[in-house]
Amino acid sequence: MTERNVRRPTLEAVAARAGVSRATVSRVVNGGAGVRPAVRERVARAVAELGYVPNSAARSLVTRRTGAVAVVIGEPEQRVFSDPFFGRQLRGIGRELAAADVQLLLLLVESRADWPRIGRYLAAGHVDGALLFSLHHDDPLPAVAARAGLPVVYGGRPGWAGAADDPEVRYVDTDNRDGARQAVRHLRERGRRTIAVITGPLDQTSAADRLAGYREALAPGAYGPRLVADGRFTARGGEAAMARLLDAAPELDAVFVCSDLMASGALRTLRERGRRVPRDVAVVGYDDLEPAAWTDPPLTTVRQDVTEMGRLMARMLLREVAGPADRKDAVPAAVVTPALLVVRASSG
């Protein structure tokens, strides 16, 4: 039976076991400099033998760090937990933070009323930095984070005025324009002539960039408003957007859908309308998440390494938190990962 009142090993006990001062143990435990390798190893051995666990509050007083990072997603709970994109990105973030012994605190934006609450939390010193993604143009979160004085890394190219020229703005994204161009070129090479697009909300840079890439890859004169519909980056939105496109342009023979989740909804509408995929309408999605290979037919899609993007975001933020004294080189302002078309049966 485990005794309830067993005392936790103290810093003094570790110092006695290692034969060093309490201050030396504190420096080793808190990552301080000025301790010889042999002494550091002796302290580490004493820590392991005694099962010593540093007091997080006391450690924060010494290091001025909390050992925690906020992940703020500018979407409501239902959207975050129904879209595998967010799970994949959180997986990458979580793995990188765990390897650095840093905790992840997840904050969601259910409505505009949540913004002041999140701002107060970020400003209160509970976290060392923040990862912000899935932001919309009118989100005040960037300004909130700036007022809090925290290091911040954004998921996706920031779209507010002046962001592109601000050397302090750091982000990780994928090459959304090129991914869209690859998708549309592929459809044109398959002989498709009337190619529609289902976008995400155009107040998000990922959706705007994919729409721009779609336009750039079309044949001259092949673009028109009736071939564009917003699917809100949801399955139901993709379903409804596909219906609107078929009503507006019944002759369409292909559709580029700017997320796999929306593509799953678009495929459902095409089946209900009696359109065969890919014989009547070819379909290309975006993301290459697990469900893309399970659709009927399997979905041609543009792969972005979402897990890796999350990992890169976390790594960039950890380097920012560490400060210039603890890193060997400068933190890049932006990292843009490549997009790659994955061809399956849905595009013919």
Side-chain angles (χ1 to χ4, degrees):
M1 181 181 294
T2 303
E3 296 183 21
R4 292 185 178 181
N5 296 321
V6 173
R7 293 185 62 187
R8 295 174 55 187
T10 64
L11 210 62
E12 289 78 9
V14 175
R17 174 69 65 96
V20 298
S21 69
R22 185 184 187 281
T24 298
V25 174
S26 179
R27 283 200 298 275
V28 173
V29 168
N30 294 309
V35 181
R36 288 182 288 115
V39 174
R40 189 179 294 275
E41 184 178 344
R42 204 158 70 235
V43 171
R45 188 163 55 248
V47 166
E49 290 171 354
L50 293 175
Y52 173 75
V53 178
N55 181 288
S56 59
R59 187 172 185 173
S60 293
L61 289 173
V62 174
T63 64
R64 298 186 181 277
R65 294 179 189 163
T66 66
V69 162
V71 177
V72 186
I73 305 178
E75 302 289 350
E77 177 182 301
Q78 182 177 3
R79 166 96 198 279
V80 171
F81 292 112
S82 64
D83 189 336
F85 173 91
F86 295 107
R88 188 84 79 84
Q89 194 152 42
L90 286 169
R91 183 189 307 168
I93 292 169
R95 286 176 179 173
E96 193 70 18
L97 294 181
D101 196 24
V102 173
Q103 300 303 311
L104 183 160
L105 298 173
L106 181 61
L107 304 174
L108 306 180
V109 180
E110 198 68 32
S111 70
R112 298 181 72 91
D114 289 321
W115 290 336
R117 172 182 59 83
I118 291 173
R120 289 192 300 271
Y121 187 86
L122 295 179
H126 298 300
V127 294
D128 299 321
L131 298 168
L132 276 60
F133 58 94
S134 201
L135 300 184
H136 300 258
H137 285 341
D138 64 345
D139 279 345
L141 289 174
V144 165
R147 286 195 297 270
L150 287 173
V152 174
V153 173
Y154 297 94
R157 179 178 65 82
W160 63 86
D165 301 318
D166 188 343
E168 299 301 315
V169 173
R170 311 205 183 285
Y171 69 91
V172 175
D173 203 354
T174 192
D175 194 338
N176 288 297
R177 281 195 180 217
D178 184 60
R181 287 193 294 263
Q182 291 181 50
V184 176
R185 286 171 186 155
H186 171 73
L187 291 169
R188 292 188 63 190
E189 289 167 359
R190 289 293 194 272
R192 307 295 169 153
R193 293 292 174 263
T194 307
I195 303 172
V197 61
I198 297 178
T199 75
L202 294 177
D203 65 345
Q204 292 186 295
T205 55
S206 59
D209 289 347
R210 290 172 199 176
L211 178 61
Y214 158 84
R215 291 173 176 172
E216 291 164 1
L218 286 175
Y223 172 77
R226 69 193 185 99
L227 295 176
V228 181
D230 180 0
R232 309 303 297 174
F233 279 143
T234 68
R236 285 191 177 182
E239 189 175 5
M242 191 71 249
R244 294 196 299 274
L245 289 171
L246 290 172
D247 291 341
E251 76 281 12
L252 69 84
D253 58 1
V255 58
F256 166 48
V257 191
C258 293
S259 81
D260 292 346
L261 198 60
M262 293 192 298
S264 68
L267 288 170
R268 181 182 301 175
T269 294
L270 289 168
R271 283 195 299 272
E272 290 174 351
R273 294 288 187 95
R275 301 294 183 97
R276 294 164 295 182
V277 177
R279 182 170 177 176
D280 300 326
V281 179
V283 179
V284 177
Y286 203 109
D287 287 331
D288 195 29
L289 302 175
E290 286 88 347
W294 306 340
T295 59
D296 183 19
L299 186 65
T300 293
T301 186
V302 178
R303 176 180 296 161
Q304 58 172 338
D305 194 339
V306 181
T307 303
E308 176 67 4
M309 289 164 62
R311 190 186 67 81
L312 290 170
M313 286 174 62
R315 177 174 291 184
M316 186 182 289
L317 182 64
L318 290 172
R319 291 173 67 191
E320 277 287 290
V321 169
D326 295 324
R327 57 177 184 253
K328 296 180 180 179
D329 52 3
V331 180
V335 175
V336 179
T337 63
L340 176 67
L341 184 71
V342 179
V343 179
R344 300 191 180 99
S346 70
S347 59

